[in-house]
Each structure stands twice: as C-alpha cells, then as structure tokens.
Amino acid sequence: MSDALIQATGLTKRFDDFVAVDGIDFEVRQGETFGFLGPNGAGKTSTMRMISAVSPITEGSLSVLGLNPATEGPRLRARLGIVPQENNLDEELTVRDNLYMYGRYFDIPKSELNDRIKELVEFVQLTEKIDAKVDALSGGMKRRVTIARGLINNPDLYILDEPTTGLDPQARHVLWDRLYRLKQRGITLIITTHYMDEAEQLCDRLVVMDKGKIVAEGSPQHLIEIYTPRDVVELRFPIGVLETLNGKIEELFDRTEILADRALIYTDDAERMMATVHEHGMEPETVLARRSTLEDVFLRLTGRTLVD
Amino acid sequence: MTTPLSVRVVEAELRTYRRTWRGSVFTGFLNPILYLLAMGVGLGTLVDENLSVGADGISYLAFIAPGLLVATAMQTGAGEGAWKVMAAVKWRQTWHATLATPVGVGSLALGQIYWSTLRVAMVSASFAVVMVLFGVASPPEALGAMVPAILVGAGMAAVTTAFTVRLQTDAPLAMYFRFVVIPMFLFSGVLFPITQLPAWLQPVAQATPVFHGVELARMIALGITPSVSPWISWFYLAAVLVVGTVLVIAPLRRRLTP
Ligand SMILES: Nc1ncnc2c1ncn2[C@@H]1O[C@H](COP(=O)(O)OP(=O)(O)OP(=O)(O)O)[C@@H](O)[C@H]1O
Ligand SMILES: [Mg+2]
C-alpha cells in the first residue's frame, strides 16, 4: 500500500438506525495536516473516535498507522495523541497531576515523565500554572492543558477535535501558532473544525463533511478555486427588502446565494458587478467585497452556512 | 518491563489519593475508635450486664468488633463504586480521557476494582490496629479477620460500580445507600446475631455478603463457630466479587465507547 498513515474505505458509523458517518473514503499521508471541516452533526467527532480506536466502526475498513483499531486498540492508542472535543480533565487536580496521571497510562517512566511535563507546559505557555488546579484556569488555558496532555507520549499522529472552539480570537491564534510549530516538526496532524479560517490556516488538505458524507476534498486553495469565483460581494439590505427584490439578483448574476439578511454574489469582476447592481436601482445598506473562502465553498456545496 | 494496564490505573488513582491521604488516614483510625467506644464499650456495658450475645465469656465489644470491621470495609467498598464513578463516567468524564490511552475498558474496570480493594485494605488495616489496641484481638487474629473484610469490601465495590455505570442520574445512588447499604449494616449480623430477626428475614440477611464476611471474621478473630460452612461463605464472597466485576464491563463499554 501507499505511505498513507490512515486509510479509510467505506467507513461507516451507525448509532442504532441513525447513520452518523455514511461510507466515507479518505487517506492521510505522513507529515501532512489533514482537516475535517463541517457543521454541527456532520460526523466529525464520530470519525475521529473511530480513528482513535475508542469507537468501533460499523462498516467499511480502517487502518491507522498500519494497525487495525478493532483488534490492536491499545497498541494503536499508545502511538496516538488525542485532543477530544471535551477536555475531560480532572478539574480537582493540578495541571501537573493531570499530565502525570495521563503519562503513567502510557507507562512513561517517572523521571522522564517529570521532564516531559515541564517541557510541554512550557510549550503551551502555562509554566506559572503548573501547580494550579485545573478548576481555576480559564477555558483557553484548559484547552492548552489538553493540547499538552495529547502530546505526552510523543505521538506519531496527533488528532485534535475542534481545538479552538469556544476560545477568544487571541487564544485561538496562540493555539494555531503552537499547532503550526508541531507541523513544522513533521508531526502528522488531523484537525476537525467548523471554522473555515482555521482550516485555511492550518490544513494542507481537507475534506468537507456534511450529514455524514464527504462532499469535497482538496487543499483549501484548490477547493476555493474549483468551487467559487475569486471574489464575493456581500450586499446587506434593510429587513424585508430582500424579499421584495423577488429573485432579481438571481436573474442578474449567475452565481448567487441568498441568505436571511444578505445576498452573496460571486464574481471575478467586483466593480462591474457593483455597477450592475446600481443600474437596476437596488440600494443595499452595506456592501462588502472580499476574497472567497472555504465558507463560500461550503455554502456552494450545501446551500447552508457552516456556523449557524 | 511494561507495567500492566490495570496497574497503571491503580497508579493514577494513587496520584489522586496523594491529595487527600492525610484526612482519610485520620478518619480511618477515628471511625473505629468512635464506633468501638460508643457501641462496644458504652452500649456493651449495658448488654453485658443483661445477657451474653456470643459464646460464653465473649464481651459485646469483642462480639461487634469483627462485625464492625466487615461493615466498615463494606461501606468503604460501596463508597468507592458510587459518586466517584458517576463523576468519572458522567460529570467529569475523566474515564473518557483514560480510554484515549492504551488503557481499554477491561483494564480500566479491573484497575478500578484493584484500587477499591486497596482502599478497603487500608481502611481495614487501621480498623484492625484499633481492634488490637482495644484488646479484642491479637495482631494475627486481627490480621486474619481483615481477609474476609477486604473480600466483602472489594465485592461491594464491584457490585456498586456495576450499578452506578448503568445509571443516568445519581438519584438512585441515594436510594441504594438508604435501602441496601445501611440496612445491610444494621441487619446482617454485625450488631446482633441474625437469629434475633423475624424468621422470614433471616434468609434475606443470610444472602448478604456482610453476613458471610462477619461469620468468617468472628471465626478467625474470636474462634466462634460459624452458622454456615466457612467454605460456602468464602465461595460466596469470591463469587460476588467476580460476578460484580464482570457486570461492570459491558455497560461501561456501551457507555464510554459507543
Ligand atoms: N453516542 C451516540 N449515540 C447516538 N447518536 C450519536 C452518538 N454520537 C453522535 N451521535 C449523532 O451522530 C451525529 C454526528 O455526531 P458527531 O458528534 O460525529 O458530529 P460532529 O460533526 O462532531 O458535530 P459537532 O460539530 O457538533 O461536534 C449527530 O447527529 C449526533 O447526534
Ligand atoms: Mg464534534
């Protein structure tokens, strides 16, 4: 087989009758950062949990680091770093004790573990908090503890389920910076997110998931190129006005998305497009011209926004 | 040499325990002292003036000491399997984190039972020391009586854990303590022989692990001949432990690794 670290074919997860992951195929290669982008309920976590050997697959085949998660779970998990969607830290314990306990589950010798804990805490910039109870940390700090915890065993594959959800912009940028450093060290990363900027910043390749299926796959650049024109103009109208336009916008332009409060018009020539809008007597409240993003790709593919 | 997965779980628990060990060692000694003083000495003086509960010449204090040892182990075991487990599977979900490591559901369950057994052993040991100090048993007798006590405590930890991992809320735990654990303490031969119970209740008392543990502990510490064969009691206590442990695994797997 190829040099793929993960190979999934027809991967399916069902909870009773409900299909959470619906026969997806993907491959993750050594050293890349691979993303799963999708809205709530798309099946991202279910997929991560199958890869992490904490949830059995229902159908299809899955190989992770050349191992079968169903039969070689402990051996596989020994080589994975996992940052689950929920931190699941022991809030009563200190940062150090949380990392220590976790490290012992991997049977890391005590002296080595103590050094590793210091390094990791420094890496996530929590040195002053090492003996603070997790309880007393902010959300962003807790997330950083979880990030450090996931690295305790020097994983070959580092899996992060929504690493920055719920963090403020500054904390997100700190985390992105840390993840970027890991990536430069050559660690293979898997990230799920419903933030398109996160996916664009971090991922070499990604799949867009919706309702348990993969609807597109490629590098962020590639996806934007093939699914959307270069620019978007967002027209925001006073409440109620959009309805009275009666499909006029869709008639005038061939690539549009009409949302509740605004119309998106995709174009390669924003100026000419604006002229057309004015010629037809439409008076938007605000006009915003910007580059297309993965958000637009998602909108195009599913007719819905990522974060609602 | 790699450490067995279930032993890693015990080590992790020990790390948590470091935080509270002083308090728990203190209560480990204080509890038996208070119980033996109040019930053995205080109540015992009254009892001994009026009748003889055990075989001839055995004081009430000596009679209830092995019983209380077993009862304490039983309550410790039940405590280990209750709210702590609820927090680990539901509130704090720390076991979810554990299962993302090489530790699997089976090793986690086994490690937790080992740890509970260790806790029960600690509490039983301090109780045994107090028994010796009160002069109700010699050190070897007290040590011997610890064995059935630990077995009862471990079994109760397993059974209680098996109960807790099936719960969605902790409300039934309060009921469990009110209607199972406390009655077991009161009516299974710890404080008085079960022959004092109404006839229809006696078989119920005999079906509890505490009854069998107490019979064995009294045999070892006081030389009182048990009312059932000790082999039956040993086997029964071992069976409770094994069955309880097995019953933990399936619901835990369903719950934490769906
Ligand atoms: N244990 C479970 N039992 C039943 N249904 C489940 C279970 N876990 C997940 N699901 C369902 O599977 C679907 C996919 O869930 P999943 O958590 O994988 O989505 P997600 O993409 O991670 O979403 P989010 O962005 O909200 O984290 C959801 O509809 C969810 O309700
Ligand atoms: Mg999720």
Side-chain angles (χ1 to χ4, degrees), chain B residues 89-162:
Chain B
V89 297
K90 186 178 167 105
W91 298 324
R92 286 197 212 132
Q93 308 203 336
T94 44
W95 285 1
H96 288 74
T98 307
L99 293 177
T101 72
V103 176
V105 171
S107 322
L108 175 60
L110 210 56
Q112 287 298 327
I113 304 297
Y114 288 163
W115 167 249
S116 303
T117 307
L118 200 58
R119 282 285 301 130
V120 168
M122 294 182 210
V123 170
S124 303
S126 45
F127 202 109
V129 168
V130 173
M131 275 169 72
V132 173
L133 293 179
F134 272 73
V136 293
S138 68
E141 286 165 350
L143 201 63
M146 278 174 61
V147 179
I150 293 170
L151 201 51
V152 169
M156 275 302 278
V159 168
T160 310
T161 305

Side-chain angles (χ1 to χ4, degrees), chain A residues 2-53:
Chain A
S2 58
D3 60 345
L5 283 194
I6 302 181
Q7 187 115 41
T9 330
L11 184 60
T12 301
K13 182 72 197 184
R14 274 196 297 271
F15 298 105
D16 300 321
D17 288 340
F18 182 80
V19 184
V21 178
D22 196 359
I24 61 174
D25 303 324
F26 63 91
E27 212 180 86
V28 179
R29 301 180 203 122
Q30 173 78 46
E32 73 178 340
T33 298
F34 191 87
F36 287 81
L37 180 67
N40 293 137
K44 304 183 296 295
T45 297
S46 305
T47 307
M48 293 310 106
R49 287 175 55 80
M50 288 191 281
I51 297 173
S52 313

Side-chain angles (χ1 to χ4, degrees), chain B residues 140-233:
Chain B
E141 286 165 350
L143 201 63
M146 278 174 61
V147 179
I150 293 170
L151 201 51
V152 169
M156 275 302 278
V159 168
T160 310
T161 305
F163 178 64
T164 307
V165 294
R166 288 169 163 81
L167 298 179
Q168 293 308 320
T169 76
D170 66 330
L173 278 180
M175 306 290 267
Y176 171 77
F177 274 80
R178 205 166 299 148
F179 295 112
V180 178
V181 175
I182 294 175
M184 222 194 293
F185 166 59
L186 294 174
F187 303 109
S188 302
V190 172
L191 302 172
F192 55 86
I194 63 161
T195 47
Q196 300 297 104
L197 291 171
W200 62 272
L201 255 184
Q202 292 183 21
V204 179
Q206 277 175 325
T208 66
V210 170
F211 168 78
H212 292 276
V214 171
E215 291 285 292
L216 292 170
R218 278 201 185 112
M219 174 184 79
I220 296 166
L222 310 174
I224 296 178
T225 314
S227 61
V228 290
S229 155
W231 293 113
I232 291 178
S233 294

